[in-house]
Amino acid sequence: METGKLLTDRVADEIVRSIIGQKLKPGDKLPNEFELAKTLGVGRSTLREAIKTLVSRSVVEIRRGSGTFVSARSGVSEDPLGLEFLTDKVQVATDLLELRFLVEPRLASLAASRCTPEELDDLMHLCDACEKKMLAGDDFSKENTAYHAAIARTSGNVVVPNLAVILCGPPSMLAGTPSQKALEELARTNREILTAIGAHDEMAAYDAMLLHLAQCRRSIAQQSLQ
Amino acid sequence: METGKLLTDRVADEIVRSIIGQKLKPGDKLPNEFELAKTLGVGRSTLREAIKTLVSRSVVEIRRGSGTFVSARSGVSEDPLGLEFLTDKVQVATDLLELRFLVEPRLASLAASRCTPEELDDLMHLCDACEKKMLAGDDFSKENTAYHAAIARTSGNVVVPNLAVILCGPPSMLAGTPSQKALEELARTNREILTAIGAHDEMAAYDAMLLHLAQCRRSIAQQSLQ
């Protein structure tokens, strides 16, 4: 084990290495406390501390009464970029969107180039769920993030799905709500991205994503004026 | 406080809100344990648990014997995207670089448009330090990340500096080392970015960053063939 770290941190690192080494997947169960403490050669209170650390790092989750499991969040915390600490929420939303403009059109185009029928089916359900919320005027941030994260995943780039979860969060940070017209435009452009990906039309997917993001930017500008 | 969360998590959230509310900066000291427990109306063991959670979320750090301080990492963990869990390191390096191609040329161009003399001076020192390591054949990843993160900061986008720290990490993930020729090209193109930013030449900064990234990609390809 490395030196210069607290024992609990070193034990936590060992557990991470063992999750990776044994190729455990999200939802897989870790050995029970007794076995794990024995394998790692540490006391159960140290082990418990280490597990707590991994829970707050979103590496594992504890399900009361059934044990410790590899988290579906794969080590991505709820706020990985520390956006919570940036106080000007309109600026954060604007700057996140600037990043999305740089990244997402290309991801949509990659998704169009290699989307499988199963992935398309998945995207279709996510787009439907998001559209339903948007047109009903309900909070759609969760569904929208899921849809855009799925597009990112479909791009084949292994790094971006975790990033997409961060990038697509902004609408919920703002106090105002988009107008009915803005919501309809957001839903329509989201659907256009899906259609282009389904047609394996890379350029159309690129353009549809640009249109969607331009609509997001317009909507944020209107909300921040409210 | 929100319901449905563990008490320690709720207390941790309260502390975060109080750090933000009181506009505490990195390095600022939190009230001592006794005061904090009193203010939050919780026992000291609960408070200690909450502080531990915030340490693993990189929000605060404990300096033995002097107290608890706001962390300079501002809530950005060491591995915010959970890259540790992706086992194909060449793929991770390649895909991170794909992202850098999308994001960094635009950031360099923004930096050129608004760089102050103080920021330029800072960039110059960081570029020098990085160049020195590169040309000596030493590990330059820390200096290179610092330089690229500073360019990102100079762009004025509040979200990207935290992201740049992630994006610029790949060289250290690879086993091989770049050739002397590759190192010289990396140093030369890093310097070109600086010159263009200093001249407030947005297009030249964009192009210099593209050249630098193309050099990085070539270097990674050579390393993964080793």
Side-chain angles (χ1 to χ4, degrees), chain A residues 19-46:
Chain A
I19 290 173
I20 296 170
Q22 295 176 51
K23 297 193 196 326
L24 296 184
K25 297 266 163 299
D28 283 352
K29 194 177 174 181
L30 265 62
N32 70 37
E33 215 174 67
F34 177 79
E35 286 174 55
L36 215 46
K38 204 176 136 195
T39 312
L40 298 166
V42 295
R44 289 170 77 167
S45 68
T46 304

Side-chain angles (χ1 to χ4, degrees), chain A residues 43-117:
Chain A
R44 289 170 77 167
S45 68
T46 304
L47 179 70
R48 267 181 221 147
E49 287 293 316
I51 296 281
K52 275 185 202 162
T53 304
L54 293 176
V55 168
S56 49
R57 281 170 55 194
S58 307
V59 172
V60 302
E61 57 190 41
I62 296 169
R63 297 184 201 149
R64 308 260 153 215
S66 44
T68 306
F69 296 82
V70 178
S71 164
R73 302 190 61 92
S74 307
V76 182
S77 77
E78 280 180 42
D79 180 24
L81 296 184
L83 300 183
E84 185 174 31
F85 293 92
L86 301 172
T87 42
D88 184 343
K89 295 308 171 198
V90 172
Q91 169 111 52
V92 170
T94 307
D95 287 358
L96 274 174
L97 199 57
E98 182 169 64
L99 264 179
R100 293 183 65 186
F101 263 98
L102 297 177
V103 173
E104 287 203 74
R106 170 79 174 150
L107 297 181
S109 150
L110 283 168
S113 77
R114 56 172 77 169
C115 187
T116 65

Side-chain angles (χ1 to χ4, degrees), chain B residues 123-138 140 143-144 147 180 183-192 194-195:
Chain B
L123 288 177
M124 205 180 306
H125 285 107
L126 292 166
C127 184
D128 286 348
C130 183
E131 188 173 272
K132 207 175 148 191
K133 291 266 180 170
M134 279 176 173
L135 297 181
D138 294 334
F140 57 86
E143 286 76 14
N144 195 48
Y147 176 53
Q180 184 60 30
L183 288 169
E184 282 166 18
E185 281 303 300
L186 288 171
R188 191 178 61 77
T189 49
N190 252 351
R191 176 71 56 187
E192 279 181 17
L194 179 71
T195 308

Side-chain angles (χ1 to χ4, degrees), chain B residues 41-57:
Chain B
V42 295
R44 289 170 78 170
S45 68
T46 304
L47 179 69
R48 267 182 221 146
E49 288 293 315
I51 297 281
K52 275 185 201 162
T53 303
L54 293 177
V55 168
S56 49
R57 280 171 55 194

